[in-house]
Structure formats: C-alpha cells, structure tokens
Amino acid sequence: MTTAGLSEAGQRLVEKILEGQPAALSRAMTEVENETGHAAALLAAVQKATGRAVTIGITGPPGAGKSTLVNALIGEYRQAGKTVGVIAVDPSSPLSGGAILGDRIRMAEHSHDPGVFVRSFASRGHLGGLSRTAGRVIDLMDAAGWDIILIETVGAGQSEVEVADIAAIKLVVSAPGLGDDIQAIKAGILEIADILVVNKCDQPLAEQTKRSLKAMLKLKQSGSQDIPVLGTVATTSEGLAELVSEIALQDEKQRRGDNLVDRKPRIRRNLAEAVGQLAKDRLRQNQSADIDALIVALESGETDYLAAAEAVLDGGQTNREIAATRLEKKTGS
Amino acid sequence: MNSEANLTRPAKVLVTKIGLDGHDRGSRIVAAALRDAGLEVVYTAPWQEIPTVAKLAMEEDVDVIGVSSLATDHLLVPKLMKELHKAGLDYVKVIVGGIVPDNEEQDLLDAGVARVFHPGSDMADIVGTVQMLAGEAQNDTARQL
C-alpha cells in the first residue's frame, strides 16, 4: 500500500509507527512538531489508527503537582498492565525562544520502563497551555498504540483551557495554599474539569480547599455538581486508586455517550489549525498584486488588519459573486 | 549564529550527568545559557544511568547531548557512546564539559565525543558549538525522510 505524498523512507516510518516502534514515533513527532513538509502526509497515513487511546489532560497552576501526579498515574496504569505515553509541555521563553524542559525530572522512576514513553515539548509562544501541534502529536501517539496518553499542560493560569479540546478526560489539579480561596482556578479552567483534584492533601489547608471548590461548583449551572472533587498526595500515591477508578468511570460514560464530550471538538480544533496554517503558507508564497495592494493600504492606514484578512480569506465580495454565478450555472438554474 | 549553524528547527539538547557525582551547578548554568540562546533544553537530575540517557535521547529526539562531569564520570562516556550506537542514535552529537584530565581527552574523542570543554571555557563558544553540532545532527542523512 502506498500513501500519497510520502517517500519510501516515510512509508517505512509509518509502518514502524503502527508496529509500535518508539524510535519511529519519536522521529515522526519531530516532523509534526516542526510542521515539516512531511508532517501532513505522516498524519494522514496514521489517521485511521487513531481513536483507541484514553487521553487524559492534566492542567492547573504552577506548583500544584501536575508532573508528580503524572508520575503517580504512570505508576498506577503500569501496575494495571497498560502502556503509558506522556506529552509534557513547558513554556518557551518569550525573549529568547529557548526553553528548559524539566517536567520529566519528576517522572524519573519510570525512565527505564519500555512501557512508558515521555516526550517534552516547548510551547513556542503558543498560548492556551499547550504547544500548537500538541493535538496532532497525540494522534501519532494514539496510532502508535499507547493505551493511556497523559497530556500535561504548562502551569496554567485562568484561561489556559485548550487542553479541553484535546483530552477526553480533563483533570484540573489544585493544591492547598496557592493563594486565597483557590483563586488560580476560579473561572475558565474550573469549567473544563471532569475531575477536580486537590493534591498535597496531607497539608493542613486541604479540607478547606476541597470545601471551597465544592461550594464553587454549587454556584455553577446544573450538572457541574456532579464533578467529583478528589484529594491526592501524589508523592505517596495516596488517593491515586480512587482517581484512576474515577477516570475509568468518566471514560466509560463518555464512550457510552452519556456525556456529550467526544472527539469532535478536538477534530474541529485540528481542522481550524490546519486551515490557519494553510492560509498562512499560501499568503506567504502569494506574490500577487492584490496582496501587495493590501499591504500598501495597511501601511498607509487605509484599511485595518481585520478587514484586510477578510478580504484575503473571502477573496472579497467579487470572488464570492463569481462563485455564486458558477454554482448557478452548474445547477442549471 | 543560527544561519552558520544550519539549523532547520530549534536545536534540542539534553543536558545530563551520568554516574555518581551530584555536582550539578555547572550543568544548570550551561542549561540556562543554552535556553537564553534560544535552544530547547531537556534537563535531568544527576545520577542518570547510561541506558536511561539513551532512551531519553531517543524519546526526545535530541540533536546534542551535553554530559557534565566533575568527578571522573567522564570515564563512563565511552560506554554511553556504545549505548547510543546500539540504539541507532549515531547522529546524536555528544559533548563533555567539566574536569577532564588532558591525557584522557583523546580517549573521549576517539570514542566519538565531538568536543570536550574544560574549566574556564567561553560560554559563547559552548553555545556556538552546540548550535553548530545540532545543525549537523539535524541534517544527518539518517534522519531525513
């Protein structure tokens, strides 16, 4: 079988990915992360094999214990005989573009285990708590046959909720004493949670944090009262068994279709990304006089970016009219 | 300079320590300098085992590994080179920084280490070398599709 747009080496790589060879997965991740010329074809070739993994997003403020919780979850799932892939996103410096990727330091106890694959990504200026290509990288990992995929966001503030589109099950992790009344997770991030986790539950203020979270859920619209609030101590795995069974419950619910959550939001997000990228690429390569005219108009202040972008995307009113005329001719009306 | 270094994407570097020495001040300083120069640095705690470093380099698909050694752990680096070869990671460039006696430097170079940095090395030289090596690693034919 041949796949369009892939070299022989690319096709061999796809075969190896689907066989579950970690080195092949890693190489393909690099292509996708950097959006090379091979990325789209590689993703297309593995698309059919996606949709099997349980994807779990872990988000929350810096210092809540996300990486340590990921480490503890890896332990639980490995004991249950599942293979675990981890995607850990750390922030890039807005000044230099560089990054220190250190999430995996907390996962060191699994670093020998062939049943665990940890890959770090720099956010590269992308906002929302993830890297721009995280959604597609998850597809690769899914196709490579990893049972559980844990996605750890950068330490998130109040609006880094992108993981909601990407992971089937969203854990929002908080910890006692991170500011008055869990202010770091008051809006936005709280709303995407399937499960709220209060980590470091051995600390004195933990019960208060749990109570505040529960009180906050009661103020929300109906339905959110059902969101469980669980306490964990990730360093000792206390509460991890309960968390894992709650995740399983949520996963089962979603697969039964009780919850409306499905893969479609993630697919929609990926589609939006793909459209945006294609538009950018085409515009950069486009040397037409129309674009030049728009640039001149922007420079002189005759038009604004939103209007110019609309003109580019819609091709202006005239193009739309032409399209409408063509359609009429086709349908013979 | 990136243009000289021929990078096709941000350079990805693993900064680590193998063996029993825990003096990680130097590796932290180098990691921070690389970050400030725009590189993506995977940083590990000290005391890594050799197979772990190879697995980590594979999973992260790094271009360069920087091994910091202040207490004879550089003698383990030839073993690391063999492990990388076994894992099919010959294109990954390895540099060593720290205390390496002059008469042992050649052993490391013979084992495939690209460069050894001694105390007092210029940070700009370290960063520039890492970028250049990363460019070479990225353009290695074994990694092309």
Side-chain angles (χ1 to χ4, degrees), chain A residues 7 26-27 30 34 96 98-99 101 104 111-113 116 118-120 124, chain B residues 9 12 35-36 38-41 43 49 52 55 58-61 143 145:
Chain A
S7 63
S26 179
R27 277 192 62 194
T30 302
N34 293 287
S96 71
L101 309 171
R104 60 181 307 148
S111 53
H112 308 269
D113 185 349
V116 178
V118 181
R119 175 70 174 247
S120 318
R124 295 188 180 172
Chain B
R9 52 181 182 261
K12 197 165 180 184
R35 175 202 60 198
D36 292 344
L39 288 82
E40 295 180 351
V41 184
Y43 180 81
E49 292 175 32
T52 308
K55 180 172 185 271
M58 178 273 286
E59 287 176 1
E60 297 286 356
D61 202 16
R143 279 173 116 183
L145 281 185

PDB file of all heavy atoms in Angstrom, chain A residues 7 26-27 30 34 96 98-99 101 104 111-113 116 118-120 124, chain B residues 9 12 35-36 38-41 43 49 52 55 58-61 143 145:
ATOM      1  N   SER A   7       7.638   9.680   0.903  1.00  0.00           N
ATOM      2  CA  SER A   7       8.765   8.995   0.291  1.00  0.00           C
ATOM      3  C   SER A   7       8.776   7.555   0.782  1.00  0.00           C
ATOM      4  O   SER A   7       8.024   7.195   1.687  1.00  0.00           O
ATOM      5  CB  SER A   7      10.057   9.686   0.704  1.00  0.00           C
ATOM      6  OG  SER A   7      10.210   9.568   2.106  1.00  0.00           O
ATOM      7  N   SER A  26       9.031   8.763  17.792  1.00  0.00           N
ATOM      8  CA  SER A  26       9.780   9.951  18.191  1.00  0.00           C
ATOM      9  C   SER A  26      10.165  10.800  16.973  1.00  0.00           C
ATOM     10  O   SER A  26      10.021  12.025  16.983  1.00  0.00           O
ATOM     11  CB  SER A  26      11.036   9.503  18.947  1.00  0.00           C
ATOM     12  OG  SER A  26      11.794  10.614  19.319  1.00  0.00           O
ATOM     13  N   ARG A  27      10.638  10.139  15.925  1.00  0.00           N
ATOM     14  CA  ARG A  27      11.040  10.878  14.709  1.00  0.00           C
ATOM     15  C   ARG A  27       9.847  11.563  14.077  1.00  0.00           C
ATOM     16  O   ARG A  27       9.924  12.712  13.638  1.00  0.00           O
ATOM     17  CB  ARG A  27      11.669   9.916  13.699  1.00  0.00           C
ATOM     18  CG  ARG A  27      13.108   9.650  13.976  1.00  0.00           C
ATOM     19  CD  ARG A  27      13.756   8.952  12.807  1.00  0.00           C
ATOM     20  NE  ARG A  27      13.727   9.754  11.600  1.00  0.00           N
ATOM     21  CZ  ARG A  27      13.988   9.269  10.386  1.00  0.00           C
ATOM     22  NH1 ARG A  27      14.277   8.007  10.251  1.00  0.00           N
ATOM     23  NH2 ARG A  27      13.953  10.047   9.345  1.00  0.00           N
ATOM     24  N   THR A  30       8.858  14.697  15.803  1.00  0.00           N
ATOM     25  CA  THR A  30       9.686  15.851  15.445  1.00  0.00           C
ATOM     26  C   THR A  30       9.193  16.492  14.151  1.00  0.00           C
ATOM     27  O   THR A  30       9.119  17.722  14.034  1.00  0.00           O
ATOM     28  CB  THR A  30      11.158  15.406  15.292  1.00  0.00           C
ATOM     29  OG1 THR A  30      11.570  14.816  16.516  1.00  0.00           O
ATOM     30  CG2 THR A  30      12.057  16.597  14.983  1.00  0.00           C
ATOM     31  N   ASN A  34       7.538  20.300  14.197  1.00  0.00           N
ATOM     32  CA  ASN A  34       8.165  21.371  13.427  1.00  0.00           C
ATOM     33  C   ASN A  34       7.445  21.649  12.105  1.00  0.00           C
ATOM     34  O   ASN A  34       7.917  22.434  11.298  1.00  0.00           O
ATOM     35  CB  ASN A  34       9.640  21.034  13.188  1.00  0.00           C
ATOM     36  CG  ASN A  34      10.409  21.048  14.497  1.00  0.00           C
ATOM     37  OD1 ASN A  34      10.670  22.100  15.048  1.00  0.00           O
ATOM     38  ND2 ASN A  34      10.718  19.868  15.016  1.00  0.00           N
ATOM     39  N   SER A  96      13.946  34.755  24.430  1.00  0.00           N
ATOM     40  CA  SER A  96      14.951  34.074  23.613  1.00  0.00           C
ATOM     41  C   SER A  96      14.340  32.977  22.748  1.00  0.00           C
ATOM     42  O   SER A  96      14.957  32.525  21.798  1.00  0.00           O
ATOM     43  CB  SER A  96      16.012  33.451  24.513  1.00  0.00           C
ATOM     44  OG  SER A  96      15.480  32.340  25.210  1.00  0.00           O
ATOM     45  N   GLY A  98      14.027  30.102  23.804  1.00  0.00           N
ATOM     46  CA  GLY A  98      14.562  28.871  24.381  1.00  0.00           C
ATOM     47  C   GLY A  98      13.663  28.329  25.470  1.00  0.00           C
ATOM     48  O   GLY A  98      12.707  28.978  25.886  1.00  0.00           O
ATOM     49  N   ALA A  99      13.965  27.124  25.933  1.00  0.00           N
ATOM     50  CA  ALA A  99      13.136  26.519  26.966  1.00  0.00           C
ATOM     51  C   ALA A  99      13.952  25.520  27.771  1.00  0.00           C
ATOM     52  O   ALA A  99      14.879  24.901  27.246  1.00  0.00           O
ATOM     53  CB  ALA A  99      11.935  25.811  26.344  1.00  0.00           C
ATOM     54  N   LEU A 101      13.114  22.118  29.515  1.00  0.00           N
ATOM     55  CA  LEU A 101      12.048  21.123  29.583  1.00  0.00           C
ATOM     56  C   LEU A 101      12.374  20.198  30.751  1.00  0.00           C
ATOM     57  O   LEU A 101      13.222  19.321  30.640  1.00  0.00           O
ATOM     58  CB  LEU A 101      11.972  20.361  28.264  1.00  0.00           C
ATOM     59  CG  LEU A 101      11.888  21.264  27.018  1.00  0.00           C
ATOM     60  CD1 LEU A 101      12.028  20.454  25.744  1.00  0.00           C
ATOM     61  CD2 LEU A 101      10.604  22.054  27.010  1.00  0.00           C
ATOM     62  N   ARG A 104       9.976  16.026  33.048  1.00  0.00           N
ATOM     63  CA  ARG A 104      10.249  14.596  33.171  1.00  0.00           C
ATOM     64  C   ARG A 104      11.174  14.287  34.341  1.00  0.00           C
ATOM     65  O   ARG A 104      11.343  13.114  34.677  1.00  0.00           O
ATOM     66  CB  ARG A 104      10.748  14.002  31.861  1.00  0.00           C
ATOM     67  CG  ARG A 104      12.017  14.605  31.331  1.00  0.00           C
ATOM     68  CD  ARG A 104      12.395  13.948  30.011  1.00  0.00           C
ATOM     69  NE  ARG A 104      12.434  12.509  30.131  1.00  0.00           N
ATOM     70  CZ  ARG A 104      12.130  11.655  29.161  1.00  0.00           C
ATOM     71  NH1 ARG A 104      11.747  12.089  27.996  1.00  0.00           N
ATOM     72  NH2 ARG A 104      12.205  10.371  29.341  1.00  0.00           N
ATOM     73  N   SER A 111      11.810   5.983  34.035  1.00  0.00           N
ATOM     74  CA  SER A 111      12.619   6.267  32.848  1.00  0.00           C
ATOM     75  C   SER A 111      13.260   5.029  32.239  1.00  0.00           C
ATOM     76  O   SER A 111      13.711   5.066  31.105  1.00  0.00           O
ATOM     77  CB  SER A 111      13.672   7.333  33.160  1.00  0.00           C
ATOM     78  OG  SER A 111      14.415   6.953  34.286  1.00  0.00           O
ATOM     79  N   HIS A 112      13.288   3.905  32.970  1.00  0.00           N
ATOM     80  CA  HIS A 112      13.823   2.673  32.347  1.00  0.00           C
ATOM     81  C   HIS A 112      12.737   1.891  31.615  1.00  0.00           C
ATOM     82  O   HIS A 112      13.030   1.028  30.821  1.00  0.00           O
ATOM     83  CB  HIS A 112      14.355   1.701  33.408  1.00  0.00           C
ATOM     84  CG  HIS A 112      15.323   2.290  34.364  1.00  0.00           C
ATOM     85  ND1 HIS A 112      16.665   2.264  34.129  1.00  0.00           N
ATOM     86  CD2 HIS A 112      15.148   2.921  35.537  1.00  0.00           C
ATOM     87  CE1 HIS A 112      17.286   2.862  35.143  1.00  0.00           C
ATOM     88  NE2 HIS A 112      16.384   3.278  36.004  1.00  0.00           N
ATOM     89  N   ASP A 113      11.509   2.156  31.986  1.00  0.00           N
ATOM     90  CA  ASP A 113      10.407   1.273  31.619  1.00  0.00           C
ATOM     91  C   ASP A 113      10.055   1.401  30.133  1.00  0.00           C
ATOM     92  O   ASP A 113       9.662   2.472  29.681  1.00  0.00           O
ATOM     93  CB  ASP A 113       9.202   1.663  32.489  1.00  0.00           C
ATOM     94  CG  ASP A 113       8.014   0.745  32.283  1.00  0.00           C
ATOM     95  OD1 ASP A 113       8.048  -0.058  31.327  1.00  0.00           O
ATOM     96  OD2 ASP A 113       7.062   0.840  33.078  1.00  0.00           O
ATOM     97  N   VAL A 116       6.692   2.929  29.010  1.00  0.00           N
ATOM     98  CA  VAL A 116       6.421   4.354  29.236  1.00  0.00           C
ATOM     99  C   VAL A 116       7.210   5.172  28.219  1.00  0.00           C
ATOM    100  O   VAL A 116       8.391   4.899  27.980  1.00  0.00           O
ATOM    101  CB  VAL A 116       6.839   4.779  30.670  1.00  0.00           C
ATOM    102  CG1 VAL A 116       6.597   6.276  30.880  1.00  0.00           C
ATOM    103  CG2 VAL A 116       6.082   3.970  31.709  1.00  0.00           C
ATOM    104  N   VAL A 118       7.914   9.194  27.352  1.00  0.00           N
ATOM    105  CA  VAL A 118       7.705  10.589  27.759  1.00  0.00           C
ATOM    106  C   VAL A 118       8.334  11.509  26.723  1.00  0.00           C
ATOM    107  O   VAL A 118       9.497  11.333  26.343  1.00  0.00           O
ATOM    108  CB  VAL A 118       8.335  10.884  29.135  1.00  0.00           C
ATOM    109  CG1 VAL A 118       8.079  12.341  29.538  1.00  0.00           C
ATOM    110  CG2 VAL A 118       7.789   9.938  30.194  1.00  0.00           C
ATOM    111  N   ARG A 119       7.566  12.458  26.235  1.00  0.00           N
ATOM    112  CA  ARG A 119       8.131  13.419  25.283  1.00  0.00           C
ATOM    113  C   ARG A 119       7.797  14.829  25.744  1.00  0.00           C
ATOM    114  O   ARG A 119       6.653  15.127  26.073  1.00  0.00           O
ATOM    115  CB  ARG A 119       7.539  13.164  23.895  1.00  0.00           C
ATOM    116  CG  ARG A 119       7.951  14.169  22.825  1.00  0.00           C
ATOM    117  CD  ARG A 119       9.427  14.024  22.444  1.00  0.00           C
ATOM    118  NE  ARG A 119       9.734  14.892  21.325  1.00  0.00           N
ATOM    119  CZ  ARG A 119      10.074  14.448  20.100  1.00  0.00           C
ATOM    120  NH1 ARG A 119      10.162  13.172  19.860  1.00  0.00           N
ATOM    121  NH2 ARG A 119      10.324  15.301  19.130  1.00  0.00           N
ATOM    122  N   SER A 120       8.816  15.681  25.788  1.00  0.00           N
ATOM    123  CA  SER A 120       8.642  17.068  26.220  1.00  0.00           C
ATOM    124  C   SER A 120       8.518  17.981  25.015  1.00  0.00           C
ATOM    125  O   SER A 120       9.192  17.785  24.007  1.00  0.00           O
ATOM    126  CB  SER A 120       9.847  17.523  27.043  1.00  0.00           C
ATOM    127  OG  SER A 120      10.267  16.519  27.927  1.00  0.00           O
ATOM    128  N   ARG A 124       6.623  27.209  22.531  1.00  0.00           N
ATOM    129  CA  ARG A 124       6.998  28.017  21.366  1.00  0.00           C
ATOM    130  C   ARG A 124       6.051  29.185  21.125  1.00  0.00           C
ATOM    131  O   ARG A 124       5.606  29.431  19.995  1.00  0.00           O
ATOM    132  CB  ARG A 124       7.103  27.153  20.110  1.00  0.00           C
ATOM    133  CG  ARG A 124       8.233  26.153  20.219  1.00  0.00           C
ATOM    134  CD  ARG A 124       8.487  25.413  18.928  1.00  0.00           C
ATOM    135  NE  ARG A 124       9.581  24.475  19.085  1.00  0.00           N
ATOM    136  CZ  ARG A 124       9.924  23.582  18.161  1.00  0.00           C
ATOM    137  NH1 ARG A 124       9.269  23.519  17.029  1.00  0.00           N
ATOM    138  NH2 ARG A 124      10.929  22.772  18.370  1.00  0.00           N
TER     139      ARG A 124
ATOM    140  N   ARG B   9      15.443  23.678  12.565  1.00  0.00           N
ATOM    141  CA  ARG B   9      14.413  23.855  13.588  1.00  0.00           C
ATOM    142  C   ARG B   9      15.139  24.210  14.875  1.00  0.00           C
ATOM    143  O   ARG B   9      16.368  24.117  14.926  1.00  0.00           O
ATOM    144  CB  ARG B   9      13.614  22.559  13.749  1.00  0.00           C
ATOM    145  CG  ARG B   9      14.500  21.330  13.968  1.00  0.00           C
ATOM    146  CD  ARG B   9      13.691  20.058  14.099  1.00  0.00           C
ATOM    147  NE  ARG B   9      14.508  18.896  14.350  1.00  0.00           N
ATOM    148  CZ  ARG B   9      14.883  18.021  13.424  1.00  0.00           C
ATOM    149  NH1 ARG B   9      14.530  18.185  12.171  1.00  0.00           N
ATOM    150  NH2 ARG B   9      15.626  16.981  13.739  1.00  0.00           N
ATOM    151  N   LYS B  12      17.540  21.008  19.848  1.00  0.00           N
ATOM    152  CA  LYS B  12      17.071  20.351  21.066  1.00  0.00           C
ATOM    153  C   LYS B  12      18.250  19.617  21.708  1.00  0.00           C
ATOM    154  O   LYS B  12      18.895  18.785  21.067  1.00  0.00           O
ATOM    155  CB  LYS B  12      15.933  19.385  20.742  1.00  0.00           C
ATOM    156  CG  LYS B  12      15.126  18.993  21.977  1.00  0.00           C
ATOM    157  CD  LYS B  12      13.813  18.340  21.590  1.00  0.00           C
ATOM    158  CE  LYS B  12      13.007  17.962  22.826  1.00  0.00           C
ATOM    159  NZ  LYS B  12      11.784  17.245  22.491  1.00  0.00           N
ATOM    160  N   ARG B  35      19.351  27.895  27.004  1.00  0.00           N
ATOM    161  CA  ARG B  35      17.975  28.402  26.930  1.00  0.00           C
ATOM    162  C   ARG B  35      17.972  29.865  26.488  1.00  0.00           C
ATOM    163  O   ARG B  35      17.212  30.261  25.612  1.00  0.00           O
ATOM    164  CB  ARG B  35      17.301  28.273  28.294  1.00  0.00           C
ATOM    165  CG  ARG B  35      15.896  28.879  28.343  1.00  0.00           C
ATOM    166  CD  ARG B  35      15.485  29.223  29.757  1.00  0.00           C
ATOM    167  NE  ARG B  35      16.409  30.184  30.353  1.00  0.00           N
ATOM    168  CZ  ARG B  35      16.517  30.411  31.647  1.00  0.00           C
ATOM    169  NH1 ARG B  35      15.795  29.738  32.508  1.00  0.00           N
ATOM    170  NH2 ARG B  35      17.371  31.309  32.123  1.00  0.00           N
ATOM    171  N   ASP B  36      18.854  30.647  27.103  1.00  0.00           N
ATOM    172  CA  ASP B  36      18.896  32.071  26.790  1.00  0.00           C
ATOM    173  C   ASP B  36      19.358  32.334  25.365  1.00  0.00           C
ATOM    174  O   ASP B  36      19.156  33.415  24.818  1.00  0.00           O
ATOM    175  CB  ASP B  36      19.789  32.812  27.785  1.00  0.00           C
ATOM    176  CG  ASP B  36      19.175  32.817  29.179  1.00  0.00           C
ATOM    177  OD1 ASP B  36      17.965  32.533  29.291  1.00  0.00           O
ATOM    178  OD2 ASP B  36      19.904  33.099  30.150  1.00  0.00           O
ATOM    179  N   GLY B  38      18.192  30.547  22.990  1.00  0.00           N
ATOM    180  CA  GLY B  38      17.078  30.127  22.148  1.00  0.00           C
ATOM    181  C   GLY B  38      17.012  28.629  21.884  1.00  0.00           C
ATOM    182  O   GLY B  38      16.262  28.186  21.023  1.00  0.00           O
ATOM    183  N   LEU B  39      17.802  27.846  22.613  1.00  0.00           N
ATOM    184  CA  LEU B  39      17.749  26.396  22.399  1.00  0.00           C
ATOM    185  C   LEU B  39      16.723  25.761  23.338  1.00  0.00           C
ATOM    186  O   LEU B  39      16.403  26.312  24.384  1.00  0.00           O
ATOM    187  CB  LEU B  39      19.130  25.773  22.646  1.00  0.00           C
ATOM    188  CG  LEU B  39      20.178  26.058  21.574  1.00  0.00           C
ATOM    189  CD1 LEU B  39      20.812  27.420  21.776  1.00  0.00           C
ATOM    190  CD2 LEU B  39      21.248  24.976  21.558  1.00  0.00           C
ATOM    191  N   GLU B  40      16.231  24.592  22.966  1.00  0.00           N
ATOM    192  CA  GLU B  40      15.300  23.847  23.808  1.00  0.00           C
ATOM    193  C   GLU B  40      16.095  22.780  24.559  1.00  0.00           C
ATOM    194  O   GLU B  40      16.701  21.904  23.947  1.00  0.00           O
ATOM    195  CB  GLU B  40      14.170  23.246  22.969  1.00  0.00           C
ATOM    196  CG  GLU B  40      13.313  24.356  22.352  1.00  0.00           C
ATOM    197  CD  GLU B  40      12.158  23.887  21.490  1.00  0.00           C
ATOM    198  OE1 GLU B  40      12.082  22.669  21.198  1.00  0.00           O
ATOM    199  OE2 GLU B  40      11.349  24.735  21.096  1.00  0.00           O
ATOM    200  N   VAL B  41      16.081  22.886  25.868  1.00  0.00           N
ATOM    201  CA  VAL B  41      16.967  22.068  26.685  1.00  0.00           C
ATOM    202  C   VAL B  41      16.168  21.101  27.549  1.00  0.00           C
ATOM    203  O   VAL B  41      15.353  21.517  28.366  1.00  0.00           O
ATOM    204  CB  VAL B  41      17.815  22.966  27.615  1.00  0.00           C
ATOM    205  CG1 VAL B  41      18.802  22.120  28.404  1.00  0.00           C
ATOM    206  CG2 VAL B  41      18.539  24.041  26.819  1.00  0.00           C
ATOM    207  N   TYR B  43      16.402  18.911  30.595  1.00  0.00           N
ATOM    208  CA  TYR B  43      17.328  18.891  31.720  1.00  0.00           C
ATOM    209  C   TYR B  43      16.977  17.734  32.646  1.00  0.00           C
ATOM    210  O   TYR B  43      15.808  17.504  32.945  1.00  0.00           O
ATOM    211  CB  TYR B  43      17.234  20.226  32.477  1.00  0.00           C
ATOM    212  CG  TYR B  43      18.163  20.287  33.655  1.00  0.00           C
ATOM    213  CD1 TYR B  43      19.509  20.600  33.478  1.00  0.00           C
ATOM    214  CD2 TYR B  43      17.706  19.985  34.928  1.00  0.00           C
ATOM    215  CE1 TYR B  43      20.380  20.625  34.550  1.00  0.00           C
ATOM    216  CE2 TYR B  43      18.571  20.009  36.010  1.00  0.00           C
ATOM    217  CZ  TYR B  43      19.899  20.331  35.819  1.00  0.00           C
ATOM    218  OH  TYR B  43      20.743  20.343  36.885  1.00  0.00           O
ATOM    219  N   GLU B  49      21.507   6.773  34.670  1.00  0.00           N
ATOM    220  CA  GLU B  49      22.171   5.574  34.187  1.00  0.00           C
ATOM    221  C   GLU B  49      22.273   5.650  32.669  1.00  0.00           C
ATOM    222  O   GLU B  49      21.455   6.305  32.016  1.00  0.00           O
ATOM    223  CB  GLU B  49      21.376   4.331  34.609  1.00  0.00           C
ATOM    224  CG  GLU B  49      21.433   4.132  36.118  1.00  0.00           C
ATOM    225  CD  GLU B  49      20.548   2.982  36.572  1.00  0.00           C
ATOM    226  OE1 GLU B  49      20.390   2.023  35.804  1.00  0.00           O
ATOM    227  OE2 GLU B  49      20.011   3.081  37.688  1.00  0.00           O
ATOM    228  N   THR B  52      19.307   4.765  30.478  1.00  0.00           N
ATOM    229  CA  THR B  52      18.257   5.774  30.627  1.00  0.00           C
ATOM    230  C   THR B  52      18.533   6.979  29.728  1.00  0.00           C
ATOM    231  O   THR B  52      17.625   7.515  29.095  1.00  0.00           O
ATOM    232  CB  THR B  52      18.200   6.267  32.092  1.00  0.00           C
ATOM    233  OG1 THR B  52      18.097   5.137  32.937  1.00  0.00           O
ATOM    234  CG2 THR B  52      17.025   7.182  32.306  1.00  0.00           C
ATOM    235  N   LYS B  55      17.650   6.079  26.185  1.00  0.00           N
ATOM    236  CA  LYS B  55      16.197   6.024  25.989  1.00  0.00           C
ATOM    237  C   LYS B  55      15.623   7.439  25.935  1.00  0.00           C
ATOM    238  O   LYS B  55      14.768   7.760  25.103  1.00  0.00           O
ATOM    239  CB  LYS B  55      15.544   5.228  27.135  1.00  0.00           C
ATOM    240  CG  LYS B  55      14.029   5.105  27.015  1.00  0.00           C
ATOM    241  CD  LYS B  55      13.453   4.153  28.069  1.00  0.00           C
ATOM    242  CE  LYS B  55      11.965   3.916  27.881  1.00  0.00           C
ATOM    243  NZ  LYS B  55      11.112   4.864  28.572  1.00  0.00           N
ATOM    244  N   MET B  58      16.374   9.121  22.708  1.00  0.00           N
ATOM    245  CA  MET B  58      15.507   8.583  21.657  1.00  0.00           C
ATOM    246  C   MET B  58      14.119   9.204  21.760  1.00  0.00           C
ATOM    247  O   MET B  58      13.574   9.693  20.771  1.00  0.00           O
ATOM    248  CB  MET B  58      15.453   7.054  21.778  1.00  0.00           C
ATOM    249  CG  MET B  58      14.554   6.340  20.796  1.00  0.00           C
ATOM    250  SD  MET B  58      12.845   6.218  21.375  1.00  0.00           S
ATOM    251  CE  MET B  58      13.010   4.947  22.639  1.00  0.00           C
ATOM    252  N   GLU B  59      13.528   9.206  22.954  1.00  0.00           N
ATOM    253  CA  GLU B  59      12.163   9.712  23.117  1.00  0.00           C
ATOM    254  C   GLU B  59      12.061  11.199  22.798  1.00  0.00           C
ATOM    255  O   GLU B  59      11.070  11.664  22.246  1.00  0.00           O
ATOM    256  CB  GLU B  59      11.675   9.472  24.557  1.00  0.00           C
ATOM    257  CG  GLU B  59      11.359   8.026  24.859  1.00  0.00           C
ATOM    258  CD  GLU B  59      10.965   7.782  26.310  1.00  0.00           C
ATOM    259  OE1 GLU B  59      10.913   8.741  27.104  1.00  0.00           O
ATOM    260  OE2 GLU B  59      10.730   6.620  26.650  1.00  0.00           O
ATOM    261  N   GLU B  60      13.079  11.941  23.184  1.00  0.00           N
ATOM    262  CA  GLU B  60      13.028  13.391  22.984  1.00  0.00           C
ATOM    263  C   GLU B  60      13.553  13.798  21.612  1.00  0.00           C
ATOM    264  O   GLU B  60      13.449  14.954  21.222  1.00  0.00           O
ATOM    265  CB  GLU B  60      13.825  14.096  24.087  1.00  0.00           C
ATOM    266  CG  GLU B  60      13.273  13.877  25.499  1.00  0.00           C
ATOM    267  CD  GLU B  60      11.988  14.664  25.758  1.00  0.00           C
ATOM    268  OE1 GLU B  60      11.574  15.426  24.862  1.00  0.00           O
ATOM    269  OE2 GLU B  60      11.405  14.509  26.846  1.00  0.00           O
ATOM    270  N   ASP B  61      14.143  12.853  20.890  1.00  0.00           N
ATOM    271  CA  ASP B  61      14.730  13.121  19.571  1.00  0.00           C
ATOM    272  C   ASP B  61      15.661  14.333  19.612  1.00  0.00           C
ATOM    273  O   ASP B  61      15.514  15.283  18.837  1.00  0.00           O
ATOM    274  CB  ASP B  61      13.625  13.326  18.523  1.00  0.00           C
ATOM    275  CG  ASP B  61      14.151  13.060  17.105  1.00  0.00           C
ATOM    276  OD1 ASP B  61      15.231  12.456  16.966  1.00  0.00           O
ATOM    277  OD2 ASP B  61      13.470  13.461  16.132  1.00  0.00           O
ATOM    278  N   ARG B 143      18.497  10.894   9.308  1.00  0.00           N
ATOM    279  CA  ARG B 143      17.274  11.447   9.879  1.00  0.00           C
ATOM    280  C   ARG B 143      16.341  12.020   8.829  1.00  0.00           C
ATOM    281  O   ARG B 143      15.294  12.555   9.176  1.00  0.00           O
ATOM    282  CB  ARG B 143      17.634  12.568  10.860  1.00  0.00           C
ATOM    283  CG  ARG B 143      18.034  12.071  12.213  1.00  0.00           C
ATOM    284  CD  ARG B 143      18.529  13.231  13.013  1.00  0.00           C
ATOM    285  NE  ARG B 143      17.698  13.496  14.162  1.00  0.00           N
ATOM    286  CZ  ARG B 143      17.904  14.510  14.996  1.00  0.00           C
ATOM    287  NH1 ARG B 143      18.861  15.356  14.757  1.00  0.00           N
ATOM    288  NH2 ARG B 143      17.136  14.680  16.039  1.00  0.00           N
ATOM    289  N   LEU B 145      13.669  12.127   5.667  1.00  0.00           N
ATOM    290  CA  LEU B 145      12.594  11.285   5.133  1.00  0.00           C
ATOM    291  C   LEU B 145      12.533  11.416   3.622  1.00  0.00           C
ATOM    292  O   LEU B 145      12.773  12.469   3.087  1.00  0.00           O
ATOM    293  CB  LEU B 145      11.256  11.702   5.734  1.00  0.00           C
ATOM    294  CG  LEU B 145      10.951  11.209   7.139  1.00  0.00           C
ATOM    295  CD1 LEU B 145       9.544  11.593   7.534  1.00  0.00           C
ATOM    296  CD2 LEU B 145      11.119   9.700   7.242  1.00  0.00           C
TER     297      LEU B 145
END
